[in-house]
Amino acid sequence: MAPARWILWFACAVLSATALLGDSAFAASPAGANDPKMIVLYDPDANHQALGDITAAFNAYAATSEARFTLQPVESRTAFETLLTEQRPPFAIVSSSTLRAPWGREFGLNPLLVPSSKGDVFYRKALVSNVARLLTSLKGVSTAVAVIDVDPKAAALDALAPLTEAGFETEGAIVVPVTKDIDALLALAFKQVDAALVTTKSMDVLTRVNPALSKLLKVTKETAPLLRPPLCSVGTNAGPEDIVAVMQLFAQMNQTDAGQRLMSLLGFDAWTPYKKSMEP
Amino acid sequence: MTRATGTAPRLSARRAGLRGAHRATGLALLSILFTLASGSCARVIHEHGSRTAEAADQNANPKIVIVQSSDNPLYRLPVRLFMAQAPGEVHTVTMRDGQPPKETLRQIDAIAPALVVTLGAKALSLAQKYISNTPVLFAMVLNHRRFDLSDRPNFMGIELETPTMTEFTQFKMIAPTMHRILVIYGDPGTEALLEGARIELATLGIEVQASRAMDVQDVGRTYAESTPGFDGIWVPNDAVAMAPEAFRFLADAALRDKIPLMCSLSETFAREGALMSVSVDFRNLGSQAALMATRLLVQHENVKDIGVQSPLGGRLVVNFATASKIDLTIDAEIIPFINEIIGN
């Protein structure tokens, strides 16, 4: 479906819901009517070193639109929960694991759009070890994982969840938080850690850049496909016109230089309407 | 544990480069390095107060003391991350100017730690002199080899210099087609680093073309007389190449000849116009120190087996304005792998 058509379709659906349920279904957020609408970004797999760049790029892109939105990245689940509780932002971009987690469901996150890269709305993570090592569990195994730093232990548990869901024993892992996947792979290749949990794309990049080093490593376990972090409305914080405006803003992101720059920082190239069937 | 290849320049040579830093281009890097390195001059003078520090406490919640050489803000991030992950109760002690070492030692003694973590050269110097039994983990010390720790079985640590392979794996993400790099160096100590780099970089398909300059003023002549055909310039950890005048010359030459300039040791070079830099990542450093502490205090590994390690990963900073000036297009897929983008 072309972006213009699905925005129109979604707008009609939202407006119909308003007519059926009344305005009370879309309670106003505490912010003033003219204040920029906040979009919270909480994705443990995002490039956290680039959060400042991502925020600046988003705000530069949003400035080209009549709709007023501002991006607010957070670096921990605690900060995310506090912000959603206290400021009631209308929108959030969250990891799919947050969307599925019981604590995430409490906020009434309603996915609208999903990012894609070359048409793929999923990514995968791989547990990588040295080629000679047989890993059957992570008990006592130092495992480098790119996670946010403000609460590394909690973030590490979240990061290992897809591996646990894939049936791999992660209890007792010694998680070593690092800033990016390549650091985790280099640490593993240099035998500073016993394992690394990285995106499969990171392994591809290492293989392309340094094939000799990548030959020292092997993928021990791959997770199921993980949905890229969807843009969600939060509970009833967003009004119907806000939803239409934000979807338009995101759908047009790849049509301007500023939007393309933002998406390259986020690591994808388009936004696609969310479908329930996307969830594993 | 892996170790960085080669030898870093001697302190005296580095400090020679420092004088010009504040005078010319104002490279903040060098003042940071000065802060990290200057502790080596402030040798602890008090010989009394012999240490009877306890051996590693094996209980469930061992005490760890972090001894900071000063209240340098650079220590805050690794300290915070170490404290969040360390396997025990962490205390901090900060050395103050003019404070006698016995006062610092008294504070350490009062805690009776199972592990002492030192940050900076001054704290390492203190530990080297007075702590003989308690395990010591040092970090954030430029060229730690100037401290002879070979006969000190209770010392382990993290180097401040990133390995060549760590640097070039990341440099190649940004400039994948380079196959021959020019290195102009001045310190004879750098030759060992280059010898290792030649072997390692050959596996990446990169040839190292090295030329020695007699001093900073000789860098221009050396560049002009270099055999053409190189498609990148590397400024390694070398006092002459990193001196402000030499760096400025190489940055201008790289722009003029439209080739990538890659720098070790500090992101300040990327901020000052180099295409990119890889340096120690202080976030990773906190995690790495916590892992080493876990191996010692929880997994009961030997200090010597843990050893002195290269820093974990490396912080890649890329100057997009420079990339644009040299007509280099950076693959959009690689952008999420960059720690910081400058000048976009």
Side-chain angles (χ1 to χ4, degrees):
Chain A
M1 202 183 305
R5 283 188 61 197
W6 60 256
I7 290 170
L8 186 63
W9 173 87
F10 198 88
C12 290
V14 169
L15 293 172
S16 302
T18 314
L20 286 171
L21 301 172
D23 287 344
S24 60
F26 299 98
S29 67
N34 293 324
D35 290 342
K37 308 288 182 187
M38 185 191 293
I39 302 169
V40 182
L41 170 62
Y42 173 56
D43 176 16
D45 283 341
N47 178 2
H48 292 275
Q49 294 291 292
L51 281 181
D53 289 328
I54 289 169
T55 308
F58 179 87
N59 293 336
Y61 169 64
T64 64
S65 160
E66 287 181 6
R68 299 180 67 213
F69 291 97
T70 183
L71 190 72
Q72 179 60 62
V74 291
E75 290 193 329
S76 71
R77 177 178 149 183
T78 306
F80 176 72
E81 290 177 308
T82 303
L83 197 63
L84 260 62
T85 303
E86 294 180 356
Q87 299 204 29
R88 299 179 59 204
F91 301 105
I93 299 171
V94 298
S95 65
S96 56
S97 59
T98 301
L99 198 64
R100 290 198 316 273
W103 66 268
R105 284 204 290 266
E106 286 176 13
F107 291 105
L109 299 166
N110 176 38
L112 304 171
L113 300 173
V114 184
S116 63
S117 177
K118 295 175 182 166
D120 190 358
V121 295
F122 298 103
Y123 68 108
R124 289 149 191 84
K125 294 192 115 179
L127 179 69
V128 185
S129 63
N130 279 297
V131 75
R133 175 142 190 189
L134 178 66
L135 272 184
T136 53
S137 93
L138 289 186
K139 188 175 170 61
V141 173
S142 57
T143 308
V145 185
V147 294
I148 47 182
D149 67 84
V150 289
D151 190 0
K153 283 184 178 170
L157 286 175
D158 285 348
L160 292 180
L163 202 55
T164 314
E165 287 166 14
F168 200 85
E169 179 59 61
T170 59
E171 186 76 28
I174 300 169
V175 177
V176 184
V178 294
T179 54
K180 59 187 192 297
D181 278 1
I182 287 292
D183 292 342
L185 291 170
L186 288 168
L188 177 61
F190 294 158
K191 299 183 177 168
Q192 293 171 300
V193 293
D194 302 318
L197 182 63
V198 297
T199 63
T200 50
K201 183 179 164 186
S202 303
M203 266 301 278
D204 295 343
V205 167
L206 181 70
T207 303
R208 199 168 73 211
V209 173
N210 194 333
L213 214 58
S214 73
K215 279 182 186 159
L216 303 174
L217 312 177
K218 68 172 180 192
V219 172
T220 294
K221 183 78 181 177
E222 205 169 293
T223 68
L226 303 166
L227 191 66
R228 294 179 192 276
L231 167 71
C232 303
S233 59
V234 182
T236 57
N237 299 349
E241 66 284 358
D242 296 334
I243 293 177
V244 172
V246 80
M247 291 186 68
Q248 189 161 16
L249 182 73
F250 276 64
Q252 293 172 348
M253 202 175 272
N254 59 1
Q255 293 170 23
T256 66
D257 288 345
Q260 285 172 7
R261 171 172 146 59
L262 170 61
M263 287 201 291
S264 67
L265 285 171
L266 289 165
F268 43 78
D269 53 36
W271 288 90
T272 307
Y274 172 83
K275 290 181 225 154
K276 188 73 182 163
S277 60
M278 288 174 174
E279 280 294 307
Chain B
M1 290 302 121
T2 52
R3 289 167 182 267
T5 53
T7 307
R10 288 186 298 274
L11 178 68
S12 55
R14 174 153 316 284
R15 292 180 69 195
L18 290 170
R19 292 187 195 101
H22 303 291
R23 190 180 66 231
T25 59
L27 291 175
L29 146 76
L30 297 180
S31 55
I32 291 167
L33 295 181
F34 181 79
T35 308
L36 292 168
S38 60
S40 65
C41 309
R43 296 285 299 183
V44 177
I45 54 171
H46 296 264
E47 298 290 342
H48 60 276
S50 64
R51 307 290 297 132
T52 53
E54 296 173 5
D57 183 352
Q58 307 293 356
N59 68 23
N61 194 31
K63 292 179 179 173
I64 301 169
V65 175
I66 300 174
V67 183
Q68 304 180 121
S69 294
S70 67
D71 56 1
N72 188 332
L74 283 179
Y75 298 151
R76 287 178 198 155
L77 184 61
V79 166
R80 180 166 63 80
L81 286 165
F82 179 81
M83 291 178 89
Q85 302 169 64
E89 181 184 313
V90 183
H91 302 253
T92 57
V93 170
T94 303
M95 298 175 75
R96 308 282 175 198
D97 283 345
Q99 177 179 284
K102 65 180 179 185
E103 174 55 25
T104 308
L105 295 169
R106 188 194 60 73
Q107 292 176 54
I108 299 170
D109 252 351
I111 297 161
L115 170 66
V116 175
V117 178
T118 65
L119 296 181
K122 197 172 162 184
L124 175 56
S125 178
L126 179 88
Q128 182 188 29
K129 200 154 199 173
Y130 295 108
I131 301 179
S132 53
N133 295 321
T134 306
V136 174
L137 193 172
F138 69 83
M140 299 185 78
V141 178
L142 188 64
N143 188 13
H144 71 87
R145 289 178 183 84
R146 61 197 152 96
F147 296 88
D148 184 9
L149 300 171
S150 55
D151 61 345
R152 303 299 298 274
N154 61 321
F155 279 69
M156 56 186 176
I158 304 170
E159 296 176 327
L160 195 59
E161 299 84 6
T162 45
T164 305
M165 189 57 94
T166 294
E167 295 179 358
F168 273 84
T169 298
Q170 300 196 67
F171 289 154
K172 263 205 98 178
M173 293 194 302
I174 305 300
T177 59
M178 66 181 165
H179 69 279
R180 190 160 143 211
I181 54 162
L182 174 68
V183 185
I184 294 178
Y185 68 100
D187 193 318
T190 304
E191 283 167 2
L193 169 74
L194 296 176
E195 198 174 313
R198 276 196 185 89
I199 297 165
E200 290 190 340
L201 297 189
T203 66
L204 290 174
I206 298 173
E207 182 188 341
V208 177
Q209 175 184 330
S211 299
R212 186 168 175 213
M214 301 318 294
D215 52 32
V216 170
Q217 285 70 37
D218 192 36
V219 169
R221 180 200 60 79
T222 310
Y223 185 84
E225 292 179 1
S226 296
T227 310
F230 51 88
D231 49 14
I233 303 172
W234 175 34
V235 174
N237 182 9
D238 177 88
V240 170
M242 286 188 166
E245 298 91 332
F247 169 72
R248 195 70 267 154
F249 174 85
L250 292 172
D252 291 344
L255 279 183
R256 186 187 62 233
D257 296 341
K258 293 188 181 292
I259 51 177
L261 177 65
M262 301 153 280
C263 298
S264 304
L265 205 60
S266 172
E267 63 194 55
T268 305
F269 292 114
R271 295 187 193 286
E272 292 287 331
L275 173 66
M276 53 191 162
S277 62
V278 170
S279 54
V280 68
D281 186 321
F282 292 138
R283 291 168 192 260
N284 289 351
L285 193 138
S287 296
Q288 185 174 8
L291 173 63
M292 292 167 80
T294 301
R295 290 177 61 187
L296 178 79
L297 300 173
V298 178
Q299 299 185 315
H300 309 305
E301 288 188 44
N302 191 292
V303 170
K304 272 287 176 198
D305 291 341
I306 298 169
V308 177
Q309 303 184 7
S310 304
L312 204 154
R315 180 172 160 78
L316 173 65
V317 177
V318 181
N319 189 321
F320 272 42
T322 300
S324 174
K325 286 176 189 166
I326 64 171
D327 301 330
L328 177 72
T329 303
I330 295 169
D331 183 353
E333 276 203 338
I334 296 300
I335 290 174
F337 294 83
I338 299 172
N339 289 90
E340 186 177 346
I341 292 168
I342 291 167
N344 192 22

